[in-house]
């Protein structure tokens, strides 16, 4: 998977350090794969936990976090738990989910990966404003396009300003038979067979560490989140708009031309990090949810976050305090400048001292839902493994008795999650030449 997007070549320059990627999904759970990774406490929009994102009983969120880290091994993961993933709830996102999005960017998320979708049209009000808020605060929003070729690109993927990801097969070609395409798609990323970590919790009954699944565009969105982290870590002077610009201008054949169905093509981490002469932009090249920059009233310079806390109850702030993603970038760059200036001053002081010392001798001697439909196949579900159909991740089912502050969107929703017995990620089909998926003992895990 990392090789398909040319990540190893990008690792020669950066592995994503200093960039925080929020995975807006089912949370994360303990697993050996995460032992040496930088993962924050995060946040839960559900009222049954300790307020952190560390309680993934479904597995989808853990799988998406792994996709990010396979691409950018030293990125920081912020798990934001929006759903249990256990059921499909007919209803839209509400106040608690919208607040979770705002919490993520207010607490340091540079990139938001949204590996689910809500189907239908007519999304207005908070549905647009919350995405506009994230973008106005200086973050990049990445969403899966879905896994049903008969469907149109769902929310939030069809919203302007969002980096929407369709899927490729094991050969790197657009997987028209099993993923959603359309004019709203911006990039493509691996969606075929891969290996996902299974949450290690004694109550879940998992006996294996990993399972082979059809990743779908959910995993693809995680991969693009990783590429965004690599690009931004290599170019900390850029804002979110120009990180997006580098990814879309270097994708596919690198021509910068967009296809009506598949966007700019397969994301290329190597070129996104190393390409020269990419024309800079002054606004998001994909547009804005509410039509123009700043429409939410937020700016990257806003310092609206609350006091930092290692963990907090739902509705409270947890994690690193921040004035938003762009403020993090400016802070990192300022630190570099200050350190460089200090080095120059110290060097100058030493030089003066040496000169004076020399003169003395001479004189003496002479600076980081509604319905989820996670993307792993054409049908809706959790991380399940049905025998024939391939399940998909696309949208978070909001279980747990949440209160919805907005009316449900006009359309069906669904959700998928990674496999533990009969859960949501789709198992790869049996028989035929299936190729070799990523394995946890492969060098790609590094």
């Amino acid at each position: 998977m990392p090789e398909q997007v040319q990540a190893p070549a990008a690792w020669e320059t950066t592995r994503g350090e200093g960039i925080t990627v929020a995975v807006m999904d089912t949370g994360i759970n303990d697993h050996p794969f995460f032992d040496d990774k930088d993962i924050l406490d995060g946040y839960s929009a559900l009222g049954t936990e300790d307020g952190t994102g560390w309680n993934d009983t479904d597995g989808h969120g853990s799988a998406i976090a792994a996709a990010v880290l396979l691409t950018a091994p030293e990125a920081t993961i912020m798990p934001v738990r929006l759903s249990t993933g256990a059921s499909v709830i007919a209803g839209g996102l509400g106040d608690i989910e919208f607040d979770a999005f705002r919490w993520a960017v207010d607490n340091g998320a540079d990139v938001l990966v949204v590996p689910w979708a809500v189907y239908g049209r007519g999304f207005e009000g908070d549905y647009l404003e919350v995405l506009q808020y994230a973008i106005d605060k200086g973050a990049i929003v990445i969403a899966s396009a879905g896994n049903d070729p008969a469907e149109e690109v769902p929310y939030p993927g069809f919203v302007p300003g969002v980096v929407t990801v369709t899927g490729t097969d094991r050969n790197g070609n657009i997987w028209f038979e099993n993923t959603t395409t359309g004019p709203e798609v911006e990039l493509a990323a691996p969606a075929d067979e891969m290996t996902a970590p299974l949450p290690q919790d004694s109550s879940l009954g998992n006996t294996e560490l990993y399972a082979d699944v059809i990743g779908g565009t959910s995993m693809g969105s995680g991969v693009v989140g990783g590429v965004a982290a690599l690009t931004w870590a290599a170019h900390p002077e850029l804002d979110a708009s120009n990180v997006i610009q580098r990814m879309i201008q270097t994708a596919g054949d690198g021509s910068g031309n967009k296809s009506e169905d598949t966007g700019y093509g397969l994301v290329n981490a190597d070129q996104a990090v190393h390409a020269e002469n990419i024309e800079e932009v002054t606004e998001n090249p994909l547009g804005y949810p509410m039509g123009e920059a700043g429409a939410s009233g937020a700016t990257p310079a806003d310092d609206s976050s609350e006091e930092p806390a290692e963990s907090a109850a739902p509705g409270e702030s947890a994690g690193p305090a921040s004035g938003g993603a762009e403020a993090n970038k400016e802070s990192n760059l300022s630190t570099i400048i200050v350190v460089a200036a200090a080095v120059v001053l110290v060097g100058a002081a030493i030089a003066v001292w040496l000169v004076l010392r020399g003169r003395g001798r001479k004189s003496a001697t002479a600076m980081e839902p509604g319905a989820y439909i996670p993307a792993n196949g054409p049908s809706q579900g959790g991380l399940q493994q049905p025998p024939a159909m391939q399940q998909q991740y696309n949208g978070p089912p909001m279980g747990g008795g949440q209160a919805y502050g907005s009316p449900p969107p006009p359309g069906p929703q669904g959700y998928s999650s990674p496999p533990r017995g009969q859960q949501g990620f789709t198992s790869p089909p049996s028989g035929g030449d299936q190729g070799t998926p990523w394995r946890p003992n492969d060098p790609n895990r590094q």
Side-chain angles (χ1 to χ4, degrees):
M1 182 168 67
E3 284 78 5
Q4 192 177 111
V5 299
Q6 306 301 313
W11 296 341
E12 295 177 6
T13 297
T14 177
R15 295 169 73 87
E17 62 279 5
I19 305 301
T20 298
V21 181
V23 177
M24 313 296 293
D25 203 28
T26 60
I28 200 167
N29 213 327
D30 290 331
H31 193 281
F33 178 79
F34 300 126
D35 285 351
D36 60 347
K37 304 301 190 293
D38 187 8
I39 304 176
L40 304 175
D41 284 346
Y43 175 85
S44 176
L46 308 183
T48 56
E49 299 91 20
D50 60 3
T52 76
W54 282 84
N55 188 14
D56 183 10
T57 56
D58 179 82
H60 193 260
S62 297
I64 306 309
V68 175
L69 292 169
L70 281 169
T71 311
E74 294 181 11
T76 297
I77 297 295
M78 176 188 285
V80 178
R81 192 170 190 238
L82 296 176
S83 169
T84 63
S87 60
V88 175
I89 305 297
L93 305 183
D95 288 344
I96 60 172
E97 292 79 40
F98 296 136
D99 285 346
F101 273 76
R102 296 186 184 96
W103 181 93
V105 292
D106 286 345
N107 285 273
D110 302 304
V111 179
L112 275 64
V113 172
V114 187
W116 45 262
V118 184
Y119 283 92
R121 284 296 188 268
F123 295 90
E124 298 176 350
D126 282 342
Y127 284 95
L128 298 181
E129 193 275 340
V130 72
L131 299 176
Q132 179 80 40
Y133 182 85
I135 292 170
D136 284 345
K137 291 285 284 185
I140 298 172
V141 181
I142 299 171
S144 55
N147 305 297
D148 189 344
E151 290 282 355
E152 295 181 347
V153 174
Y155 175 90
F158 66 69
V159 177
V162 174
V163 181
T164 306
V165 182
T166 192
T168 57
D169 62 20
R170 70 198 64 176
N171 298 315
N173 299 316
I174 301 299
W175 203 9
F176 286 103
E177 298 84 358
N178 290 290
T179 58
T180 303
T181 60
E184 302 88 351
V185 168
E186 311 297 345
L187 293 170
D192 205 337
E193 185 177 349
M194 56 191 70
T195 301
L198 295 177
Q200 297 302 293
D201 185 316
S202 59
S203 66
L204 302 179
N206 290 331
T207 57
E208 301 292 335
L209 285 176
Y210 298 89
D212 290 344
V213 301
I214 297 299
T217 60
S218 286
M219 295 287 270
S221 66
V223 171
V224 172
V227 174
L230 293 173
T231 306
W232 219 337
H235 300 277
E237 77 283 0
L238 297 182
D239 60 9
S241 296
N242 280 286
V243 172
I244 294 172
Q245 172 79 342
R246 288 190 71 87
M247 291 196 296
I248 64 178
Q249 293 297 314
T250 58
D253 61 7
S255 67
N257 295 325
K258 185 178 181 182
S259 162
E260 181 72 10
D261 287 331
T262 59
Y264 295 90
L266 179 62
V267 68
N268 187 318
D270 178 22
Q271 289 302 305
V273 166
H274 295 127
E276 299 180 354
N277 302 319
I278 301 298
E279 182 180 359
E280 291 194 8
V281 295
T282 58
E283 293 191 328
N284 190 330
L286 308 181
Y288 294 91
M290 296 173 67
E292 61 181 351
S296 71
T299 67
D302 285 350
D303 188 8
S304 57
S305 61
E306 302 175 21
E307 290 299 316
E310 288 303 314
S311 62
E316 297 179 356
S317 177
S322 169
E326 194 56 36
N328 285 347
K329 295 295 149 308
E330 292 173 359
S331 176
N332 291 341
L333 199 55
S334 296
T335 300
I336 293 171
I337 292 171
V338 169
V339 170
V343 170
V344 171
L345 289 173
V346 170
I350 291 172
V352 169
W353 178 77
L354 288 173
V355 169
L356 293 175
R357 181 171 177 264
R359 287 178 178 173
R361 284 183 173 176
K362 286 180 181 177
S363 61
T365 59
M367 86 183 174
E368 187 292 9
Y372 267 145
I373 305 189
N376 33 316
S379 62
Q380 303 172 2
L383 254 170
Q384 299 155 316
Q385 304 179 68
M389 291 292 288
Q390 297 169 350
Q391 296 298 96
Q392 72 184 44
Y393 256 160
N394 276 45
M398 309 319 302
Q402 300 99 332
Y404 297 108
S406 303
Q413 295 92 39
Y415 188 65
S416 305
S417 48
R420 72 171 181 266
Q422 288 300 312
Q423 284 172 285
F425 257 138
T426 303
S427 299
S430 58
D433 179 13
Q434 300 303 319
T436 303
W438 168 81
R439 299 286 181 181
N441 58 352
D442 280 355
N444 303 341
R445 182 177 182 271
Q446 299 175 359

